[in-house]
């Protein structure tokens, strides 16, 4: 049954490219070609970048840098998906348009859950796949790693993505009684905005840190630099993150340390499988109940509205008679009510206002104004900063 | 009424949203081959009842049996026996009509050869033969509704649930659907239909149930309903308005005009 659902999904995707309206079809084709182009460009530039690092720097130092870089790249993916995974899970598991059809058909709830879980996994990971995978492939090509590296990369990537997805789905299933799934997109946009802000602040901190560090590094030996970088970035708590097991798997494979490779690979793969299994087991108990109770939200609102309307009927004449407002004011009041009840609209208004205020104060501070490079990059940063939450909130599944 | 002839049976079916009871202790027995109309004002609990009967909502209390199979205990067994046509068509719009019907047939494990024959037959019945190869998203609302019905009919179910089946349909499409209901009922299919259109209920249904504020306030054929409405002679509209206490609305409308 699952294969039937997946086949049906693939068919809808395929028909979207071949039979959809010309405008939508063109948009889809352009989007796909752009993704391929981005993938190819990242592959090309990351290849050049990694080659450059290994050619210019001591191999030990380059290895240390890439070890830490992999740790942090995987950590960012892990944390981002952990936060967005709850909202994505809520949205896909409880608000997908086809759920009412699927759940009225003779399909096991478990099958529907697995199908939706896979959708959530893809929704959570496709952007990272396009951005991170070429870098990891370049890492393998430049170091002339054995062919076994490439399937390992894919397994590690899927595991790193699936663990936070599973955790997000588990939290989502538990939280569905408290959070209205209709708010999932707003939550996602908010988290996306927050995460964008964090990344941007981190980049500022790193830029300032690097400025101070550069003169010091010139006077240090390679061993000192390695020790310095390790002391600054290699934190003990990282070992407990599954993302670090993933990065270690690739790093130890790269260095030919097969014992450590096996250990880390087993850790991440087993954790990933166990969590997926746990999700499936728990879903059998709470997914249907959760879906049923979440679909009550709109029904409950409908009931209350219908009954309140019934109670109001007798008072309608009086309401019109008491009014001191013009029609325009009625429209404005209506808009205010709608905005206050729609977190996404609120976010659309307040996020840019908040960001522009922040950027304004940042730009007028004296020492920053002296730095022309920041002023030069400012428009670009603003675009990225604004684009990030919009990108996340506008995702379609 | 023998047990074998009962297609839908509800026992003390209740759905509560906090303190609000959307459906209260609903007890119904509907026979195979019967067209049962389910009437009620907005927010009375009609759609909730259909969702409870089809397993889309979990009841707070009570049971639903479809062809003797409990929808909560044996959901797969119960769901194999019915087709659901919701008010808003729930179909994959990115599939073509034929592909959607094929998908539905496969889900219900209908034989492949039979699926192809059924597709031809259903597309012909619904006047969609020339459009079967187009994406459903290009269809009009009426065509989508017809496709939704065709999807529900592909496995020849014993029970059909219609939620407001004629809403948004042109008279010709509405007639096709009414004819299909009559034809299916004659061949022994139980039809459970919620509707606002009292004329359809009066002309088509063998029995009618009236729900108000989640409570079944009357059930029976026209004669039985007249008795319940304290001997009020007249059509279903008058009986309905009297039973749901909406006769007062007529006075309000009169005073406004």
């Amino acid at each position: 049954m699952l294969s039937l659902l997946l086949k049906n999904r693939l068919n809808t995707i395929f028909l979207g490219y071949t039979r959809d309206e010309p405008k939508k079809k063109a948009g889809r084709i352009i989007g796909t070609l752009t993704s391929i182009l981005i993938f190819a460009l990242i592959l090309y530039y990351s290849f050049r970048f990694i080659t450059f690092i290994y050619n210019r720097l001591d191999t030990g130092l380059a290895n240390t840098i890439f070890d830490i870089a992999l740790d942090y790249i995987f950590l960012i993916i892990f944390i981002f998906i952990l936060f967005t995974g709850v909202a994505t899970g809520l949205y896909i598991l409880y608000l997908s348009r086809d759920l009412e059809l699927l759940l009225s058909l003779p399909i096991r709830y478990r099958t529907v859950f697995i199908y939706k879980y896979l959708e959530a996994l893809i929704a959570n990971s496709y952007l990272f796949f396009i951005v991170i995978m070429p870098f990891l492939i370049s890492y393998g090509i430049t170091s002339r790693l054995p062919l076994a590296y490439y399937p390992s990369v894919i397994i590690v990537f899927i595991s790193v993505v699936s663990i936070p997805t599973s955790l997000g789905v588990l939290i989502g299933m538990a939280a569905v009684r408290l959070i209205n799934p209709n708010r999932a997109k707003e939550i996602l946009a908010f988290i996306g905005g927050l995460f964008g802000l964090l990344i941007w602040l981190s980049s500022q901190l790193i830029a300032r840190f690097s400025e101070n560090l550069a003169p010091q590094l010139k006077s240090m030996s390679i061993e000192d630099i390695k020790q310095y970088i390790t002391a600054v970035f290699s934190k003990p708590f990282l070992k407990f993150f599954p993302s670090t097991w993933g990065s270690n798997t690739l790093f130890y494979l790269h260095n030919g340390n097969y014992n450590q490779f096996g250990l880390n690979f087993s850790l991440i793969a087993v954790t990933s499988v166990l969590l997926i299994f746990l999700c499936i087991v728990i879903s059998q108990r709470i997914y249907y109940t959760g879906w049923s109770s979440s679909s009550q939200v709109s029904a409950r609102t409908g009931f209350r509205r219908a009954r309140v309307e019934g109670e109001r009927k007798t008072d309608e004449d009086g309401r019109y008679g008491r009014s001191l407002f013009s029609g325009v004011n009625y429209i404005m009041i209506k808009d205010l009510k709608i905005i206050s009840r729609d977190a996404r609209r609120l976010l659309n208004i307040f996020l840019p206002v908040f960001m522009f205020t922040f950027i304004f104060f940042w730009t007028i501070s004296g020492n920053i104004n002296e730095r022309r490079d920041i002023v030069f990059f400012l428009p670009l940063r603003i675009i990225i900063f604004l684009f990030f939450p919009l990108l996340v909130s506008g995702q379609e599944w | 009424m023998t047990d074998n002839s009962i297609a839908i049976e509800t026992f003390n079916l209740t759905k509560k949203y906090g303190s609000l009871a959307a459906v209260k202790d609903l007890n119904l027995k509907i026979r195979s081959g019967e067209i049962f109309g389910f009437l009620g004002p907005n927010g009375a609990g009609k759609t909730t009842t259909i969702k409870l009967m089809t397993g889309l909502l979990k009841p707070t209390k009570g049971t639903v049996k479809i062809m003797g199979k409990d929808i909560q205990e044996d959901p797969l067994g119960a769901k194999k026996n019915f087709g659901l046509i919701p008010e808003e068509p729930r179909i994959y719009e990115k599939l073509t009509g034929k592909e959607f019907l094929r998908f539905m047939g496969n889900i219900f494990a209908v034989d492949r050869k039979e699926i192809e024959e059924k597709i031809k037959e259903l597309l012909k019945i619904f006047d969609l033969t020339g459009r079967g190869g187009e994406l459903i998203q290009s269809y009009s609302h009426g065509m989508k509704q017809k496709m939704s019905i065709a999807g529900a009919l592909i496995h020849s179910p014993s029970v059909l649930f219609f939620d407001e089946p004629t809403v948004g349909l042109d008279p010709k499409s509405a007639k096709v659907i009414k004819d299909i209901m009559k034809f299916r009922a004659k061949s022994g299919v139980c039809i459970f239909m919620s509707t606002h259109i009292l004329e359809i209920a009066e002309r088509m249904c063998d029995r009618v149930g009236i729900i108000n504020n989640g409570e079944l306030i009357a059930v029976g054929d026209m004669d039985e309903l007249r008795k319940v409405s304290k001997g009020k002679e007249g059509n279903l509209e008058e009986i309905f308005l009297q039973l749901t206490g909406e006769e007062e609305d007529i006075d309000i409308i009169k005073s406004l005009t």
Side-chain angles (χ1 to χ4, degrees):
Chain A
M1 199 60 84
L2 182 64
S3 62
L4 192 63
L5 292 176
L6 291 173
K7 198 176 140 193
N8 183 54
R9 186 85 178 99
L10 286 175
N11 201 11
T12 55
I13 293 168
F14 175 73
L15 287 171
Y17 283 100
T18 54
R19 306 281 290 277
D20 213 338
E21 293 162 27
K23 206 175 162 185
K24 287 183 183 174
K25 199 163 73 177
R28 201 162 282 128
I29 292 167
I30 290 167
T32 309
L33 290 176
T34 310
S35 302
I36 294 168
L37 186 69
I38 291 171
F39 189 95
L41 284 173
I42 295 174
L43 187 69
Y44 175 71
Y45 282 107
S46 59
F47 179 80
R48 287 188 62 176
F49 174 72
I50 295 168
T51 311
F52 173 80
I53 294 279
Y54 272 103
N55 286 345
R56 287 293 180 95
L57 296 180
D58 167 76
T59 312
L61 179 60
N63 278 342
T64 308
I65 290 170
F66 281 112
D67 181 22
I68 287 163
L70 279 175
D71 282 353
Y72 279 88
I73 287 169
F74 278 41
L75 183 69
I76 289 169
I77 297 174
F78 186 85
I79 293 173
F80 183 81
I81 296 177
L82 189 64
F83 281 103
T84 57
V86 179
T88 315
L90 277 173
Y91 189 84
I92 292 178
L93 288 171
Y94 298 103
L95 289 179
S96 299
R97 281 179 174 188
D98 58 348
L99 271 174
E100 206 164 296
L101 172 70
L102 293 176
L103 292 172
S104 70
L105 298 175
I107 307 172
R108 288 181 198 284
Y109 299 130
R110 187 181 58 196
T111 309
V112 176
F113 172 81
I114 296 171
Y115 172 62
K116 289 292 157 191
Y117 176 91
L118 289 174
E119 268 190 25
L121 187 70
I122 292 166
N124 274 335
S125 61
Y126 76 95
L127 271 176
F128 290 115
F129 184 88
I130 291 167
V131 177
I132 304 299
M133 199 49 89
F135 176 80
L136 297 176
I137 292 170
S138 302
Y139 187 57
I141 296 171
T142 46
S143 308
R144 293 188 180 84
L145 293 180
L147 279 176
Y149 171 82
Y150 301 98
S152 305
V153 163
I154 292 169
I155 295 169
V156 165
F157 181 80
I158 293 170
S159 304
V160 168
V161 169
S162 78
I163 292 171
T165 301
S166 301
L167 291 171
V169 162
L170 283 171
I171 296 167
M173 282 197 291
V176 75
R177 284 173 181 274
L178 305 171
I179 302 170
N180 178 354
N182 289 306
R183 290 277 172 263
K185 271 206 164 186
E186 283 88 40
I187 298 169
L188 197 62
F190 179 73
I191 293 169
L194 207 64
F195 204 78
L197 185 68
L198 275 173
I199 289 177
W200 180 66
L201 285 174
S202 312
S203 70
Q204 293 307 303
L205 283 171
I206 291 167
R208 291 189 178 206
F209 179 76
S210 311
E211 261 175 33
N212 298 330
L213 189 66
Q216 291 176 37
L217 286 176
K218 283 179 185 168
S219 59
M220 287 164 89
S221 70
I222 286 181
E223 266 317 301
D224 287 343
I225 294 171
K226 271 162 68 178
Q227 279 178 9
Y228 185 84
I229 291 172
T230 311
V232 171
F233 293 104
S234 189
K235 301 293 179 194
F237 68 86
L238 280 176
K239 285 177 190 168
F240 300 104
F241 276 91
S243 57
T244 312
W245 306 336
S247 58
N248 282 348
T249 304
L250 301 183
F251 180 71
Y252 287 122
L253 183 64
H254 177 265
N255 287 0
N257 187 342
Y258 294 108
N259 286 338
Q260 281 297 321
F261 160 76
L263 175 71
N264 284 284
F265 184 81
S266 308
L267 268 174
I268 191 148
V270 169
T271 309
S272 163
V273 171
L274 278 178
L275 273 172
I276 293 171
F277 186 69
L278 185 69
C279 278
I280 294 169
V281 170
I282 290 180
S283 77
Q284 280 178 296
R285 291 178 180 274
I286 63 172
Y287 178 52
Y288 168 64
T289 319
W291 186 80
S292 176
S293 66
S294 73
S295 63
Q296 283 177 188
V297 176
S298 54
R300 189 165 46 211
T301 315
F303 270 105
R304 291 215 170 113
R305 199 174 294 141
R307 290 193 185 166
V308 167
E309 272 171 14
E311 285 159 17
R312 274 183 189 163
K313 271 180 185 171
T314 50
D315 198 30
E316 288 285 89
D317 287 336
R319 277 176 168 270
Y320 287 112
R322 282 199 301 270
S323 167
L324 291 171
F325 295 103
S326 69
V328 175
N329 287 344
Y330 272 131
I331 295 167
M332 285 171 68
I333 290 165
K334 180 263 298 173
D335 283 343
L336 279 173
K337 280 183 180 173
I338 291 171
I339 289 169
S340 67
R341 286 168 194 172
D342 186 342
R344 195 153 28 132
R345 288 186 192 210
L346 263 180
L347 204 70
N348 286 346
I349 293 169
F350 287 112
L351 200 65
V353 171
F354 166 74
M355 287 192 295
F356 276 115
T357 313
F358 188 79
I359 289 164
F360 173 73
F361 282 111
W362 176 62
T363 317
I364 59 166
S365 65
N367 58 335
I368 299 289
N369 251 353
E370 287 161 20
R371 293 187 52 190
R372 291 190 170 194
D373 56 332
I374 285 185
V375 176
F376 172 73
F377 281 116
L378 191 61
L380 185 68
R381 288 174 190 210
I382 293 170
I383 289 165
I384 293 168
F385 201 38
L386 288 173
F387 179 67
F388 199 82
L390 293 177
L391 182 80
V392 175
S393 65
Q395 277 190 67
E396 279 186 28
W397 294 288
Chain B
M1 195 187 288
T2 61
D3 277 347
N4 287 342
S5 68
I6 293 171
I8 306 171
E9 185 178 9
T10 67
F11 179 72
N12 285 345
L13 189 65
T14 302
K15 182 69 195 176
K16 283 186 177 173
Y17 299 134
S19 59
L20 190 78
V23 178
K24 286 181 222 163
D25 293 318
L26 183 70
N27 290 295
L28 276 175
K29 281 183 182 179
I30 305 163
R31 291 184 303 268
S32 293
E34 185 178 5
I35 302 181
F36 187 88
F38 203 49
L39 312 178
N42 290 334
K46 299 186 296 295
T47 302
T48 303
T49 305
I50 289 185
K51 284 188 172 181
L52 288 167
M53 286 177 166
T54 53
L56 290 174
L57 277 179
K58 201 173 181 179
T60 312
K61 191 179 85 175
T63 55
V64 179
K65 283 184 181 174
I66 309 288
M67 303 304 290
K69 304 257 164 86
D70 190 311
I71 192 80
Q72 293 299 320
E73 299 290 320
D74 181 11
L76 293 190
K79 285 174 185 177
K80 277 177 189 164
N81 288 309
F82 69 74
L84 168 66
I85 298 102
E87 188 177 352
E88 274 296 312
R90 307 275 183 204
I91 39 185
Y92 287 105
E93 301 213 340
K94 297 276 179 207
L95 289 181
T96 65
K98 280 182 186 174
E99 279 164 337
F100 173 69
L101 295 178
R102 215 166 278 141
F103 166 74
M104 293 293 280
N106 286 330
I107 291 281
F108 283 100
V110 180
D111 177 64
R112 279 191 183 186
K113 206 178 157 191
E114 202 185 326
I115 290 175
E116 296 308 317
E117 284 167 10
K118 282 264 184 182
I119 289 173
K120 272 186 197 165
E121 184 193 325
L122 289 165
L123 291 178
K124 197 178 167 190
I125 291 172
F126 288 108
D127 205 15
L128 289 169
T129 307
R131 307 289 300 269
E134 292 176 23
L135 290 189
I136 293 172
Q137 70 179 17
S138 68
Y139 290 8
S140 67
H141 174 78
M143 287 161 75
K144 284 178 188 169
Q145 186 69 313
K146 285 191 219 171
M147 191 49 69
S148 172
I149 298 170
L153 292 175
I154 196 127
H155 64 296
S156 309
S158 310
V159 177
L160 276 170
F161 289 98
F162 285 87
D163 191 3
E164 305 286 356
T166 53
V167 169
L169 294 184
D170 61 78
K172 194 186 166 195
S173 304
K175 188 171 183 313
V176 171
I177 288 166
K178 284 185 269 182
D179 289 345
I180 283 171
M181 281 190 209
K182 280 184 200 166
F183 178 74
R184 294 275 159 176
K186 270 184 192 167
S187 63
V189 174
C190 167
I191 312 272
F192 185 96
M193 165 179 62
S194 85
T195 182
H196 274 115
I197 305 166
L198 301 175
E199 192 204 343
I200 292 178
E202 189 172 2
R203 280 200 293 131
M204 288 188 59
C205 298
D206 301 309
R207 283 196 304 153
V208 169
I210 299 174
I211 186 171
N212 195 21
N213 291 327
E215 279 184 279
L216 189 70
I217 51 172
V219 63
D221 57 26
M222 283 302 290
D223 290 336
E224 286 167 326
L225 289 180
R226 282 190 190 103
K227 280 178 199 163
V228 177
S229 65
K230 292 159 193 168
K232 181 136 190 162
E233 290 297 322
N235 60 19
L236 184 58
E237 187 179 19
E238 285 168 305
I239 296 168
F240 175 81
L241 291 174
Q242 204 238 328
L243 288 171
T244 54
E246 299 203 1
E247 274 192 325
E248 300 144 18
D249 291 355
I250 296 166
D251 299 331
I252 294 168
I253 294 162
K254 277 178 187 166
S255 73
L256 286 171
T257 51

